[in-house]
Amino acid sequence: MYFLTGWPRRLLCPLRSEEEPFHIQPSSQRFYFAVLSETQLSIWFSRPSVLIVSYIESAKAAAQFGFYQKTQWKPDDSMIAVATVKGYILLFDVVGGGDDKYLYEPVYPKGSARVRVTPGYKEEQCAPALSLEMKKPVDLEAPITSLQSLQEDLLVCTADGYLHVLHWDGQGSNGHKAICLTTIPFSLDLQSARGGPSLELEGVYIRCMEYCVTLDGYAVVLSDGRLGFITPLSNTITADQLQGVWAADVTDGTCVAVNNKYRLMAKRYGLLVYMIDTTTGSMQLSHKLELTPKHYPDIYNKTGPVKLICWSPDCSVVMVTWECGGLSLWSVFGAHLICTLGEDFAYRSDGTKKDPIKISSMCWGAEGYHLWVLPNKQERRRQEEQQEVEMGEPRQSFLQAGILQFHFIKSALTVNPCTSNQEQVLLHGEDRLYLTCGDPTQVHSTSDSHAHSHLHTRDSSPLHHPPNPDSSLSQGLSTLLGHKHWHVVQIHSTYLESNWPIRFAAIDTAGQCMAVAGRRGFAHYSLFTRKWKLFGNITQEQNMTVTGGLAWWNDFVVVACYNFIDQQEQLRLYQRSSNLDNAFASVTKLHSDTLLLNVFRDMVILFRADCSICLYSLERRNDSPNPSANVELLQEVSMSRYIPHPALVVSVTLTSVRTETGITLKAPQQACMAESIMLNLAGQLIMLQRDRSGPQVREKETPANNKKLLPFCPPVVLAQCVENVWTTCRSNRKKRHLLEALWLSCGEAGMKVWLPLFPRDHRKPHSFLSRRIMLPFHINIYPLAVLFEDALVLGATNETVLYDGLQGSSEPLEAVFPFCTVERTSQIYLHHILRQLLVRNLGEQALMLAQSCASLPYFPHVMELMVHVVLEEEATSREPIPDPLLPTVAKFITEFPLFLQTIVHCARKTEYALWNYLFAAVGNPKDLFEECLMAQDLDTAASYLIILQNMEVPAVSRQHATLLFNTALEQGKWDLCRHMIRFLKAIGSGEMDTPPPTPTTQEPSSTGGFEFFRNRSISLSQSADSITTGKFSLQKTYSMPTGPSAKGRDVECAENMYIDMMLWRHARHLLEQVRLRDLGCFSAQLGFELIGWLCRERNRVARVDDFVSALKRLHKDFLWPFPVIPVGSLNSPLKNGRCRTVLSTRLLKSQSADSLLNSDMDTALPPTNPTNHTWLDGLGQSAKEMDTASSAHSNQHSPQTHDAFLSLLTNKVEEYSIGSATDLTETSSVVDGDWTMVDENSSTLSLSQAELEHISMELANKGPHKSQVQLRYLLHVFMEAGCLEWCVVIGLILRDANVIKQVIGFLDSPEVPQETVQSVRNGLLAVDTWASTDCLGYKPFLNLIQPQLQQLMESASEQVQPEAFQPTSQSSKLGGSEGLGGAVVPRPEDNRGVAAPLGLALPSLEPAGGFSRPPSEDCAPEQKEEQGEDEGTYDCTLS
């Protein structure tokens, strides 16, 4: 509503004097301020804030009258009354300056438009020269306690219990009359009023008094602390015509202030706000304004009694100060906005406490943009004395008096509550606008849109740009929510000079156009053009004043104004795009003064001073060159029976809200019609509905021009204490609850929503179910706008920035007060509404509402908040709750897919003590964990594991952790796997509460293995070596005992063993399923020591049973295309035909990159685009050359252009022709072609079609570069581990003859078992057979390695023995994957490693006659019972 901004400004009085000012009083328009010191009366001007005149009493007169005490202005600013200590009233005439009319004059540059206008142009911008003339004093012969100004009279209360009525002119016999307080009858209400004097009022006088216009009475505080309200029963004030009412049970009143708009009185020690009951006339307590001990502990000892209360000029906020100092600001119904008793106002940045500023007098400036404050005398004296001590020289005894001026910005809703202002947040300061909309990309570029650039340029402060704590641009739902910055628009200085202060501001619904109205005329601004539009003719601007406010309708500004020339009220519409001129305006004459204006769709609603409401229709006319609007009166509604005073109406709104929404109004177009009027009458929300009880006329039967609007029913009160109302005319079938609701802001009571209730699925509604329901809910911000579809409230809040520039006891203002900024805030409210509906057993409505909002990005957060709030309230309640809500909330959340996440996130954000209560309502965490596993939601399952670890014994959490670990391994969730390893270790080592940090030696594992493919410039052989060493050292850290005691060492050793067993089992499972790529990822990501494991498994699981299916699986996993050869290079016509058929059926797919990418892959890594490298560059090279070649091309990630291919082939021409041992030599003629000719002119291409096809085939025969590097790495690993069969398979897919030569060379070694030799031989034979029939592309390579094959056949035939074949058949049986022979993808029953969900016990498997395992690999005894059924016929030796 109101927000403090910047630092306060200190105004120094130019006249030095020993006296301190102690009282300030504004004139009725607040343009002049009277400031009193003991013998001096000064008048200050508001803008510029300067001293105009000072009247100094002579010593003789001061001795006669006594010091000055209080002052009051006559309502027309022509006189000032001053009360003195000795009971005199001094009256002063305020006289204009005669010839020197102005003290200060603006100086304009030559040729400025403002110089050539009307002669009186200066008076608006200059401080006028005034003088003060004292008239005859009036002696009341008793000390004066209070002054109150009326239109013609001045009321003076004296300490002898009298009430004096003085005429301002002081002339005639009725110039002075006195009424004794004891003659006024007082009672608790007007009904039980009795006549006669009140004897109990003997010796009592009125301490403080204020007049209330809208109640036509006087609020008083008596000297004994009682509160009362005195009403004159007739127009004149005489003793027998006054009647008093007490406020019950109040005896400690100190002061009183009246709010005319809301008819409230705020008084006394603890700040009570009273209203007058209209039926009985008694004083009713409306609400209390108090600082909560939650935010301000021990507050009552710090503040003392209330000293001053000031309502703002628009009556929407109240400022309070206490005897012990400090300022606090509340909205009219008690929403707390600012307090200077805590946080940065009360403490310095080093934590030391500041003294709160004590205030002797304060008042609001024009339109509430400033608060003028006079600090206490003693405080200033003390500061000055300290300065003297520090400076070491006595200063002259004259001090410069200081006035503090606090700056405020306020919401546009306070004075102009039109509908378009409600959908955007618009704040206005005295010379700028703050809006939340605008293009977020331009926020950083505009110089004045810093969230903290509220400093006015005239502040000579040392800190012009404080650090901005939140300059990051976070894109939200929309630009309304998109970032924390304000879009700041400076109001045009030319308009401000002559029309300050700004009284109304409006923004259009799109948030792109603003309009402001000051004293005269108005101006508007567009964010599109970044320009202001002012009246071209200044006389037109000065001849109108906006009275009822502004609003936007499409691209027209709608203005309710008074025309000074015609002296009448008018409704005008100005088009945004045309010039601002009356020639382009459409003008409608009005019969009475307009107080409020609002727009609904194509209608304007006006509230007028005669308490009537007028509805006008608006229609755009495009017949003339400039578009104009047609305005027609539709309906008039008189409200004088219900409204006691027109000034009490705060806002008037047309809405489409009806009490029986959705039942009588089936047609959607009717639902958006103007169905009701909402009137905020002094905080009471009154609704007038259209009366549909009579006979209804069908739409079609009435011609459009004479459609008569339905009358309105009598008003109904919907709510009390309402500050703002939000409603929208948009409709959305999916979010009907939110869009057809009515939102209310109710001060300290928070917000209320009047929600429509819809029958579900068009069922007949229950007769007992009401059509709407009012739900209250609390929010932590002051609401300024409601985003209906997004279920958000937008607001603003004051933030402070400390500045400790100058140390020392004489602190400048900048150090006493923090720099204040205004931050944008928002809050979700959906969980409050859902909870309220569930409390009222309206679960079906809550479900419909929640489902309509389930797509919102913060919907999971809404659910969490709802569980969290209910849990905190119920679990921490001291009394038993008869009907707990948590089970209902839990049941409600299960309707949504995010149930499991919501519960676990909420549990992890609440303390452990509440978990039992939570899980008693939502279910056992073990069951929820298993649900997560079934739903494959592993991250959520991991969160439940932490819950289980705290709530269950270690064995249970280990069991569940193992389940999760196995599933994560299977799905390749490596981060989760790493966490699980750490978690399992923490359980084992007994550190139940704090899992240990990841061991430092594990660091290489995260970058090891496959990671180095990302920077491929390093040599493969080097990196592989370094990685293996890293892994060996890691294995040692896993298994080495490092515990404080022997028992701890044993536990940790067993834990590491347990984890290693699971890792080994997973590696075995991957290898059995020929998932080499997954095995590589697994090893690299988890730091699994692959080479050492493969060494142990060399003759068991690391065997290849079926070379052909393994080769096919590698082609698929690594996106490696099957080799094809061009038709032209085949000699045999039979082969030729065979090749064609094969290509057409199944191999053609592998040539195109697209089909490769889309092929169904069983791999965790994302497929990468295959880059086309010819495999020719690998032929005839040693491994070292291969390394350098692959690193040379590592940076060519994208497919190369045609030129690059050709140059690549020419470079490799020698190796190409030498390395081709068979029919490939036919293509050497291609290489000898004249490439320059091809490049220059493609028409003279000398290549045959077959040759070109061959080249393209060769390029297509190579897989992605990344796959090539990965295969090379795996080849290196298998070679190190001595798994020769796998080396052969990888050598085949890479078509690297050197690898095959090397392996066949190794086979002669005596260490190689005979079955391996046999397996390699049989495998190569099987591949040859398969290549001959199904994949002819492999034939050239097989022909190339023919000599090695021949050598292998010979050596094998020499040594062949019958029993050598048995292990092979046995191992094929043990493989457990029968499907490998034919299918590329294994069948589901082959994945038996995963099939047993609780396969926690890992048997130690020893094949007969295999390597013996190291002792550390023995299993725990409890693992005896369960053996994985996939282990085949292995023998199990258990220790």
Side-chain angles (χ1 to χ4, degrees):
M1 189 66 74
Y2 271 63
F3 304 96
L4 200 54
T5 170
W7 275 302
R9 188 188 305 164
R10 178 177 275 153
L11 308 174
L12 292 178
C13 177
L15 301 173
R16 288 188 172 273
S17 144
E18 281 188 345
E19 297 174 3
E20 280 290 325
F22 57 84
H23 182 77
I24 184 166
Q25 186 70 31
S27 66
S28 60
Q29 293 293 311
R30 298 176 193 268
F31 289 145
Y32 304 106
F33 297 87
V35 178
L36 281 190
S37 57
E38 284 149 356
T39 61
Q40 191 169 326
L41 166 65
S42 309
I43 295 181
W44 287 71
F45 194 57
S46 56
R47 178 184 164 100
S49 303
V50 289
L51 177 68
I52 297 176
V53 63
S54 210
Y55 179 92
I56 300 175
E57 193 69 80
S58 66
K60 182 184 169 193
Q64 182 192 347
F65 302 136
F67 288 154
Y68 293 168
Q69 204 175 6
K70 290 181 168 44
T71 179
Q72 268 290 350
W73 288 81
K74 191 178 174 185
D76 62 359
D77 300 351
S78 63
M79 290 180 77
I80 298 177
V82 177
T84 65
V85 174
K86 293 190 176 176
Y88 285 88
I89 294 285
L90 311 179
L91 295 173
F92 292 87
D93 276 326
V94 182
V95 185
D99 295 337
D100 329 327
K101 277 174 74 175
Y102 302 109
L103 285 176
Y104 304 90
E105 289 193 8
V107 178
Y108 290 106
K110 282 182 181 172
S112 164
R114 289 274 150 183
V115 181
R116 299 191 296 273
V117 292
T118 46
Y121 77 98
K122 285 182 183 173
E123 61 197 50
E124 308 293 352
Q125 316 127 40
C126 320
L130 303 175
S131 62
L132 292 170
E133 293 176 5
M134 188 170 167
K135 296 172 74 175
K136 189 179 165 196
V138 180
D139 186 5
L140 298 179
E141 299 171 358
I144 293 164
T145 57
S146 180
L147 287 177
Q148 181 63 46
S149 170
L150 301 179
Q151 205 58 43
E152 296 298 326
D153 299 314
L154 178 69
L155 254 68
V156 186
C157 306
T158 51
D160 55 3
Y162 275 88
L163 189 62
H164 298 269
V165 184
L166 306 179
H167 203 272
W168 270 108
D169 298 336
Q171 306 299 323
S173 60
N174 61 350
H176 179 187
K177 53 188 171 190
I179 300 161
C180 184
L181 189 61
T182 52
T183 62
I184 302 173
F186 272 89
S187 58
L188 281 175
D189 58 43
L190 292 177
Q191 290 171 338
S192 60
R194 63 184 199 288
S198 310
L199 297 173
E200 57 191 279
L201 294 180
E202 283 293 332
V204 176
Y205 59 89
I206 295 174
R207 183 192 294 173
C208 178
M209 170 180 192
E210 193 160 331
Y211 176 62
C212 178
V213 181
T214 48
L215 283 170
D216 190 27
Y218 306 89
V220 294
V221 178
L222 303 186
S223 56
D224 59 359
R226 282 185 292 179
L227 306 185
F229 189 77
I230 301 175
T231 315
L233 301 178
S234 68
N235 292 338
T236 56
I237 299 177
T238 51
D240 54 345
Q241 296 293 315
L242 293 176
Q243 173 71 50
V245 177
W246 290 123
D249 309 324
V250 177
T251 55
D252 55 359
T254 52
C255 56
V256 63
V258 170
N259 183 328
N260 283 313
K261 192 165 208 136
Y262 291 89
R263 296 209 289 187
L264 298 172
M265 290 156 274
K267 337 184 172 188
R268 86 154 220 179
Y269 191 84
L271 248 159
L272 304 179
V273 182
Y274 281 87
M275 53 186 273
I276 296 283
D277 187 319
T278 45
T279 50
T280 65
S282 62
M283 287 181 73
Q284 301 284 332
L285 179 64
S286 167
H287 55 278
K288 293 183 183 180
L289 304 179
E290 51 189 1
L291 298 171
T292 55
K294 187 171 104 179
H295 293 115
Y296 304 95
D298 190 31
I299 197 68
Y300 297 110
N301 303 340
K302 291 178 185 170
T303 58
V306 172
K307 183 164 186 189
L308 296 167
I309 308 169
C310 277
W311 290 97
S312 65
D314 57 22
C315 299
S316 59
V317 293
V318 59
M319 184 65 87
V320 176
T321 183
W322 294 270
E323 291 287 352
C324 301
L327 286 167
S328 189
L329 186 70
W330 277 278
S331 76
V332 62
F333 289 112
H336 190 231
L337 299 170
I338 302 163
C339 179
T340 65
L341 290 175
E343 297 166 354
D344 291 348
F345 289 98
Y347 297 93
R348 298 181 184 84
S349 56
D350 57 3
T352 53
K353 200 162 179 348
K354 304 176 194 171
D355 290 329
I357 179 169
K358 291 183 182 168
I359 293 166
S360 57
S361 181
M362 65 179 179
C363 69
W364 288 94
E367 295 298 322
Y369 292 123
H370 298 126
L371 183 74
W372 294 59
V373 168
L374 295 179
N376 246 2
K377 291 190 231 182
Q378 296 82 5
E379 208 158 279
R380 288 193 49 78
R381 283 268 155 78
R382 197 176 64 239
Q383 278 193 12
E384 300 287 352
E385 282 161 17
Q386 282 174 346
Q387 279 179 351
E388 282 177 31
V389 172
E390 282 168 20
M391 296 167 80
E393 52 183 69
R395 293 187 29 187
Q396 48 185 317
S397 58
F398 295 121
L399 303 173
Q400 269 187 298
I403 302 171
L404 294 184
Q405 212 180 50
F406 289 87
H407 305 281
F408 286 87
I409 59 176
K410 60 178 186 174
S411 164
L413 292 172
T414 53
V415 278
N416 191 31
C418 66
T419 317
S420 57
N421 283 358
Q422 294 171 3
E423 299 198 14
Q424 311 276 349
V425 178
L426 176 66
L427 307 179
H428 49 102
E430 61 166 345
D431 60 351
R432 63 194 71 192
L433 300 173
Y434 296 79
L435 44 145
T436 54
C437 48
D439 183 3
T441 54
Q442 296 179 348
V443 169
H444 292 295
S445 60
T446 48
S447 58
D448 52 11
S449 59
H450 259 264
H452 295 284
S453 59
H454 303 331
L455 269 175
H456 304 288
T457 46
R458 45 187 182 273
D459 288 355
S460 57
S461 66
L463 187 67
H464 267 286
H465 286 288
N468 184 351
D470 195 346
S471 57
S472 65
L473 186 74
S474 62
Q475 269 297 331
L477 290 166
S478 60
T479 47
L480 281 172
L481 198 64
H483 43 86
K484 296 233 1 177
H485 294 284
W486 293 100
H487 199 105
V488 183
V489 177
Q490 199 77 30
I491 297 172
H492 201 288
S493 57
T494 310
Y495 181 75
L496 265 183
E497 270 175 8
S498 47
N499 297 296
W500 184 91
I502 297 300
R503 291 165 50 214
F504 302 99
I507 187 167
D508 70 340
T509 42
Q512 294 297 319
C513 305
M514 285 128 276
V516 294
R519 236 185 310 187
R520 300 281 173 96
F522 75 98
H524 62 84
Y525 176 84
S526 165
L527 275 178
F528 300 120
T529 60
R530 307 264 162 150
K531 283 183 181 167
W532 282 95
K533 268 196 182 166
L534 276 60
F535 273 96
N537 183 342
I538 289 170
T539 42
Q540 287 185 3
E541 179 189 275
Q542 296 300 316
N543 283 334
M544 67 174 273
T545 182
V546 177
T547 53
L550 306 156
W552 285 90
W553 171 70
N554 300 341
D555 52 351
F556 287 87
V557 190
V558 185
V559 184
C561 62
Y562 181 78
N563 183 341
F564 287 105
I565 292 180
D566 301 342
Q567 295 194 341
Q568 65 172 7
E569 280 282 323
Q570 295 177 340
L571 178 68
R572 298 187 186 181
L573 278 85
Y574 292 87
Q575 219 266 339
R576 177 177 59 84
S577 49
S578 40
N579 287 342
L580 198 49
D581 195 294
N582 292 349
F584 303 123
S586 57
V587 181
T588 309
K589 293 180 181 175
L590 304 175
H591 306 300
S592 175
D593 293 0
T594 308
L595 300 182
L596 289 165
L597 165 147
N598 214 332
V599 174
F600 174 86
R601 293 190 175 269
D602 295 335
M603 295 169 82
V604 170
I605 179 169
L606 302 179
F607 178 75
R608 305 189 305 192
D610 58 0
C611 292
S612 65
I613 291 173
C614 289
L615 300 183
Y616 289 87
S617 73
L618 301 176
E619 192 185 350
R620 189 188 173 98
R621 276 202 315 239
N622 289 324
D623 44 9
S624 60
N626 288 302
S628 59
N630 199 18
V631 182
E632 276 183 29
L633 178 65
L634 293 176
Q635 198 171 3
E636 284 196 41
V637 185
S638 172
M639 295 290 292
S640 52
R641 288 167 57 197
Y642 311 108
I643 299 175
H645 194 289
L648 295 174
V649 178
V650 181
S651 71
V652 61
T653 316
L654 262 178
T655 73
S656 55
V657 171
R658 273 188 72 73
T659 46
E660 60 267 32
T661 313
I663 292 109
T664 53
L665 300 178
K666 293 218 172 60
Q669 75 273 7
Q670 269 189 306
C672 300
M673 285 166 56
E675 284 296 330
S676 57
I677 295 173
M678 297 284 171
L679 200 76
N680 185 348
L681 175 66
Q684 273 194 338
L685 187 66
I686 295 175
M687 176 181 182
L688 292 91
Q689 278 196 125
R690 291 219 184 267
D691 188 357
R692 292 187 180 274
S693 58
Q696 300 292 299
V697 184
R698 278 203 203 148
E699 299 276 321
K700 296 172 193 163
E701 294 171 11
T702 54
N705 50 7
N706 62 357
K707 200 186 288 184
K708 194 168 186 306
L709 286 171
L710 291 168
F712 286 93
C713 305
V716 182
V717 176
L718 289 185
Q720 303 278 359
C721 299
V722 177
E723 292 181 4
N724 275 321
V725 184
W726 291 272
T727 170
T728 180
C729 55
R730 295 196 301 278
S731 59
N732 180 343
R733 301 268 339 144
K734 289 180 184 162
K735 294 192 177 176
R736 286 185 65 188
H737 279 94
L738 296 177
L739 283 167
E740 294 180 26
L742 187 73
W743 305 88
L744 315 174
S745 154
C746 302
E748 66 167 348
M751 286 187 78
K752 290 180 183 170
V753 55
W754 201 34
L755 201 70
L757 301 177
F758 299 111
R760 190 157 196 180
D761 310 327
H762 310 294
R763 278 183 247 157
K764 193 170 186 305
H766 296 296
S767 53
F768 59 84
L769 190 68
S770 69
R771 312 287 191 252
R772 280 181 175 267
I773 186 168
M774 188 73 80
L775 303 175
F777 60 93
H778 270 277
I779 59 169
N780 303 327
I781 63 175
Y782 189 86
L784 296 175
V786 175
L787 299 186
F788 302 95
E789 290 96 335
D790 297 328
L792 272 178
V793 176
L794 299 184
T797 176
N798 256 116
E799 296 292 334
T800 50
V801 181
L802 271 179
Y803 165 66
D804 290 346
L806 305 166
Q807 291 305 320
S809 49
S810 63
E811 296 175 308
L813 270 180
E814 290 80 37
V816 177
F817 288 96
F819 182 84
C820 292
T821 62
V822 183
E823 289 279 339
R824 291 173 55 175
T825 53
S826 59
Q827 197 173 332
I828 41 184
Y829 54 74
L830 199 55
H831 58 289
H832 294 297
I833 297 177
L834 295 174
R835 181 185 166 191
Q836 294 283 356
L837 287 169
L838 292 175
V839 167
R840 291 162 172 75
N841 287 326
L842 293 169
E844 206 171 64
Q845 299 289 329
L847 196 59
M848 287 162 66
L849 173 58
Q851 282 165 346
S852 71
C853 299
S855 58
L856 291 174
Y858 37 80
F859 185 70
H861 183 56
V862 169
M863 289 298 175
E864 271 177 56
L865 275 174
M866 184 160 70
V867 179
H868 185 80
V869 171
V870 175
L871 173 66
E872 290 270 322
E873 275 181 25
E874 293 188 359
T876 56
S877 162
R878 293 189 180 169
E879 287 81 34
I881 295 168
D883 188 14
L885 186 63
L886 191 60
T888 318
V889 171
K891 191 173 171 220
F892 175 75
I893 294 181
T894 51
E895 297 284 335
F896 297 92
L898 42 90
F899 164 68
L900 294 164
Q901 289 111 293
T902 304
I903 296 301
V904 77
H905 290 170
C906 180
R908 291 192 62 185
K909 290 172 190 170
T910 46
E911 52 187 306
Y912 171 67
L914 311 183
W915 284 4
N916 285 328
Y917 188 86
L918 171 66
F919 287 107
V922 300
N924 190 324
K926 286 192 274 193
D927 303 338
L928 299 175
F929 173 84
E930 279 161 26
E931 276 184 54
C932 292
L933 276 191
M934 286 164 68
Q936 301 286 310
D937 187 358
L938 301 191
D939 292 327
T940 308
S943 295
Y944 274 107
L945 204 52
I946 294 168
I947 307 278
L948 285 170
Q949 182 204 10
N950 284 293
M951 295 183 76
E952 302 284 347
V953 292
V956 174
S957 45
R958 173 187 307 198
Q959 181 185 5
H960 287 79
T962 310
L963 264 176
L964 181 58
F965 185 37
N966 285 331
T967 317
L969 281 173
E970 194 53 47
Q971 292 193 6
K973 297 274 181 73
W974 307 121
D975 276 344
L976 184 56
C977 290
R978 282 194 283 272
H979 288 309
M980 293 312 302
I981 290 174
R982 201 182 73 186
F983 185 79
L984 282 163
K985 284 184 166 187
I987 293 176
S989 58
E991 295 170 26
M992 294 297 299
D993 301 322
T994 54
T998 317
T1000 47
T1001 39
Q1002 201 169 333
E1003 292 308 315
S1005 73
S1006 57
T1007 56
F1010 277 25
E1011 289 286 319
F1012 73 80
F1013 297 132
R1014 287 175 199 164
N1015 46 0
R1016 301 180 195 140
S1017 55
I1018 56 173
S1019 154
L1020 276 175
S1021 53
Q1022 285 174 1
S1023 53
D1025 290 337
S1026 65
I1027 281 153
T1028 49
T1029 54
K1031 289 209 196 70
F1032 275 123
S1033 66
L1034 175 66
Q1035 190 60 29
K1036 284 172 194 152
T1037 60
Y1038 269 166
S1039 307
M1040 251 170 47
T1042 54
S1045 66
K1047 186 181 175 190
R1049 285 200 293 274
D1050 294 345
V1051 170
E1052 190 160 326
C1053 201
E1055 270 317 311
N1056 289 333
M1057 186 62 221
Y1058 181 66
I1059 293 164
D1060 287 351
M1061 291 288 296
M1062 283 192 283
L1063 294 174
W1064 291 337
R1065 187 172 72 166
H1066 184 65
R1068 192 178 307 125
H1069 174 66
L1070 291 176
L1071 205 51
E1072 280 170 356
Q1073 292 195 333
V1074 200
R1075 287 161 59 185
L1076 286 199
R1077 184 167 189 161
D1078 291 354
L1079 183 67
C1081 289
F1082 161 72
S1083 156
Q1085 296 282 353
L1086 297 187
F1088 179 68
E1089 191 264 294
L1090 193 54
I1091 296 179
W1093 178 78
L1094 283 171
C1095 286
R1096 291 198 297 276
E1097 297 286 343
R1098 185 187 301 153
N1099 291 345
R1100 283 174 295 190
V1101 78
R1103 303 283 303 272
V1104 183
D1105 305 322
D1106 184 341
F1107 275 60
V1108 175
S1109 61
L1111 198 58
K1112 286 180 181 173
R1113 181 65 192 247
L1114 290 187
H1115 272 292
K1116 182 170 189 247
D1117 272 4
F1118 287 95
L1119 299 177
W1120 202 270
F1122 286 95
V1124 284
I1125 51 177
V1127 181
S1129 66
L1130 294 166
N1131 301 325
S1132 152
L1134 171 71
K1135 280 185 185 173
N1136 192 0
R1138 177 66 179 271
C1139 183
R1140 279 181 190 282
T1141 54
V1142 172
L1143 282 175
S1144 63
T1145 52
R1146 63 193 287 188
L1147 294 177
L1148 206 57
K1149 284 186 279 184
S1150 66
Q1151 294 173 39
S1152 79
D1154 290 331
S1155 63
L1156 278 173
L1157 290 177
N1158 299 333
S1159 62
D1160 178 45
M1161 295 184 327
D1162 187 17
T1163 171
L1165 289 180
T1168 50
N1169 279 329
T1171 52
N1172 296 322
H1173 286 271
T1174 172
W1175 58 273
L1176 305 166
D1177 47 2
L1179 291 182
Q1181 286 182 320
S1182 67
K1184 183 81 178 163
E1185 287 167 342
M1186 183 59 221
D1187 291 343
T1188 48
S1190 69
S1191 62
H1193 304 309
S1194 63
N1195 45 11
Q1196 300 170 347
H1197 297 300
S1198 55
Q1200 300 155 341
T1201 59
H1202 200 102
D1203 303 335
F1205 288 142
L1206 300 179
S1207 60
L1208 185 66
L1209 282 171
T1210 40
N1211 290 345
K1212 298 288 178 209
V1213 64
E1214 302 85 15
E1215 296 151 24
Y1216 185 97
S1217 15
I1218 299 162
S1220 310
T1222 52
D1223 58 341
L1224 293 175
T1225 47
E1226 292 172 29
T1227 57
S1228 58
S1229 61
V1230 174
V1231 179
D1232 304 329
D1234 187 355
W1235 293 115
T1236 52
M1237 228 168 75
V1238 180
D1239 288 341
E1240 287 161 11
N1241 189 355
S1242 57
S1243 62
T1244 58
L1245 193 62
S1246 64
L1247 294 173
S1248 69
Q1249 183 63 35
E1251 289 165 328
L1252 274 176
E1253 199 175 299
H1254 187 98
I1255 292 174
S1256 60
M1257 290 284 188
E1258 293 304 341
L1259 299 177
N1261 282 349
K1262 190 137 226 178
H1265 181 64
K1266 188 172 180 181
S1267 295
Q1268 185 181 344
V1269 181
Q1270 290 175 348
L1271 283 166
R1272 290 268 162 202
Y1273 170 62
L1274 285 170
L1275 176 62
H1276 174 85
V1277 168
F1278 283 120
M1279 201 70 99
E1280 289 274 322
C1283 301
L1284 300 179
E1285 296 155 73
W1286 277 113
C1287 295
V1288 171
V1289 176
I1290 298 174
L1292 280 171
I1293 195 172
L1294 287 171
R1295 276 162 288 170
D1296 189 339
N1298 288 344
V1299 173
I1300 308 290
K1301 278 181 200 165
Q1302 210 174 349
V1303 172
I1304 290 174
F1306 285 150
L1307 288 177
D1308 297 339
S1309 160
E1311 287 121 38
V1312 177
Q1314 198 53 47
E1315 53 262 40
T1316 306
V1317 181
Q1318 195 64 36
S1319 174
V1320 170
R1321 191 181 81 88
N1322 294 347
L1324 283 169
L1325 285 174
V1327 168
D1328 191 46
T1329 315
W1330 167 72
S1332 306
T1333 57
D1334 282 2
C1335 186
L1336 293 166
Y1338 266 115
K1339 287 304 278 182
F1341 177 66
L1342 291 169
N1343 293 343
L1344 180 66
I1345 58 169
Q1346 199 66 42
Q1348 285 78 29
L1349 288 177
Q1350 210 60 45
Q1351 178 192 339
L1352 181 61
M1353 296 303 165
E1354 288 160 7
S1355 63
S1357 58
E1358 289 164 17
Q1359 303 168 349
V1360 74
Q1361 292 163 358
E1363 56 271 20
F1365 289 96
Q1366 286 169 2
T1368 321
S1369 58
Q1370 186 191 2
S1371 67
S1372 69
K1373 234 188 317 179
L1374 301 176
S1377 41
E1378 310 93 294
L1380 284 178
V1384 178
V1385 184
R1387 297 199 300 275
E1389 59 265 25
D1390 301 332
N1391 298 4
R1392 283 189 297 208
V1394 206
L1398 285 165
L1400 304 177
L1402 301 166
S1404 165
L1405 305 169
E1406 288 277 341
F1411 290 107
S1412 63
R1413 284 177 188 260
S1416 69
E1417 297 173 13
D1418 294 340
C1419 292
E1422 80 248 8
Q1423 296 170 345
K1424 184 156 50 183
E1425 299 90 343
E1426 295 189 30
Q1427 292 183 10
E1429 57 175 76
D1430 57 326
E1431 309 307 351
T1433 54
Y1434 283 127
D1435 293 329
C1436 298
T1437 40
L1438 296 158
S1439 62

